[in-house]
Amino acid sequence: MPSSSDLTAAPLYFELTPTADAATEVDHIFVFRDTGALSHRGSGRFATDLFSLSVAGGCGGTLISLAPPRPDFVPRPSSFCGIVAGLRLSVRPERLPGTGALEPLATALGRVRQSDDGLPSLVAELDGLARALTFAAPPQAFSDRTERRRAREETGVSRRRLAAVRRFRLLLGRFAGPALPLSDLALDAGYYDQSHMSASCRAFADRPPGALRLQATARAFGPSLQDGKIKDRIRLVIMDDRKE
């Protein structure tokens, strides 16, 4: 993974809804830039129930990888330092893009290491990637038992664990919305009560719900992301609250 030594821009994680012409299997695009401030050791905040098609750039060149859902019930052993961007997918794509298609994306990714000014170009490249991916036809319906087995074979974890990740991710999105009471947010995200939500927040992110809401609250970007075509697509923003 690239070193953080050449990262001069502030830690940032955000998700955007895909464009209307993207493949329906694309849930969202994401950009994650960090020096260990957001993804500290022991945190599972960036767990996901989706496949992650990620592009990272460093001294070794541009790397593209496809990772299965990552539940992060086991705390991460180290913090993330670097920058990565990509797509979150509901299923595996038929094939990964060729190396030639990555060159413009790698250039855009490199610009974002130093400044937010390159974010619009990076988003445009990710949108192009979302349009270019192809997926196999969905399989026929299976019995519940078979679905459980297939989920474990495909992702390595049970559907119950994936459901817990999905519930936590939904909560993060709710934190970025209107400031509702925590008890209402808990029920809205599918938790039994506020205590159940608090336990989940500490298990995934080692922080209480109130602290997470401070970081996941939607807020204005700089001029580079004020364009309505991008700003209106923002679904989740997480910033380092210690720098505000």
Side-chain angles (χ1 to χ4, degrees), residues 16-24 26-29 123-124 126-128 130-131 229 233:
L16 299 181
T17 57
T19 57
D21 55 351
T24 57
V26 178
D27 184 83
H28 62 268
I29 72 173
V123 169
L126 292 171
D127 284 339
R131 290 190 293 268
K229 294 180 181 179
R233 294 168 54 194

Side-chain angles (χ1 to χ4, degrees), residues 76-117:
R76 65 167 61 236
S78 60
S79 301
F80 172 74
C81 294
I83 182 169
V84 62
L87 314 176
R88 294 262 164 71
L89 315 169
S90 58
V91 296
R92 295 177 183 271
E94 289 190 296
R95 64 182 63 87
L96 297 182
T99 55
L102 298 181
E103 294 180 5
L105 211 166
T107 300
L109 193 67
R111 291 182 59 197
V112 177
R113 298 181 70 85
Q114 282 77 41
S115 169
D116 287 350
D117 293 343

Side-chain angles (χ1 to χ4, degrees), residues 14-91:
F14 72 84
E15 296 177 358
L16 299 181
T17 57
T19 57
D21 55 351
T24 57
E25 293 83 357
V26 178
D27 184 83
H28 62 268
I29 72 173
F30 72 93
V31 176
F32 188 19
R33 181 180 63 204
D34 197 13
T35 55
L38 302 179
S39 60
H40 59 277
R41 181 178 179 181
S43 171
R45 183 188 311 181
F46 299 104
T48 177
D49 59 311
L50 302 166
F51 289 89
S52 297
L53 180 62
S54 304
V55 178
C59 57
T62 303
L63 302 175
I64 187 165
S65 62
L66 180 68
R70 182 170 56 86
D72 261 343
F73 277 76
V74 178
R76 65 167 61 236
S78 60
S79 301
F80 172 74
C81 294
I83 182 169
V84 62
L87 314 176
R88 294 262 164 71
L89 315 169
S90 58
V91 296

Side-chain angles (χ1 to χ4, degrees), residues 139-159:
Q140 61 182 3
F142 296 101
S143 67
D144 186 66
R145 181 178 180 179
T146 301
E147 287 286 3
R148 290 198 302 270
R149 187 187 74 248
R150 287 174 58 86
R152 184 175 288 278
E153 290 174 350
E154 183 80 354
T155 67
V157 296
S158 66
R159 289 197 304 178

Side-chain angles (χ1 to χ4, degrees), residues 160 167 183 185-198:
R160 184 176 181 179
R167 189 164 50 232
S183 58
L185 286 175
L187 297 176
D188 194 32
Y191 293 99
Y192 298 123
D193 51 31
Q194 187 172 337
S195 296
H196 185 205
M197 176 186 70
S198 297

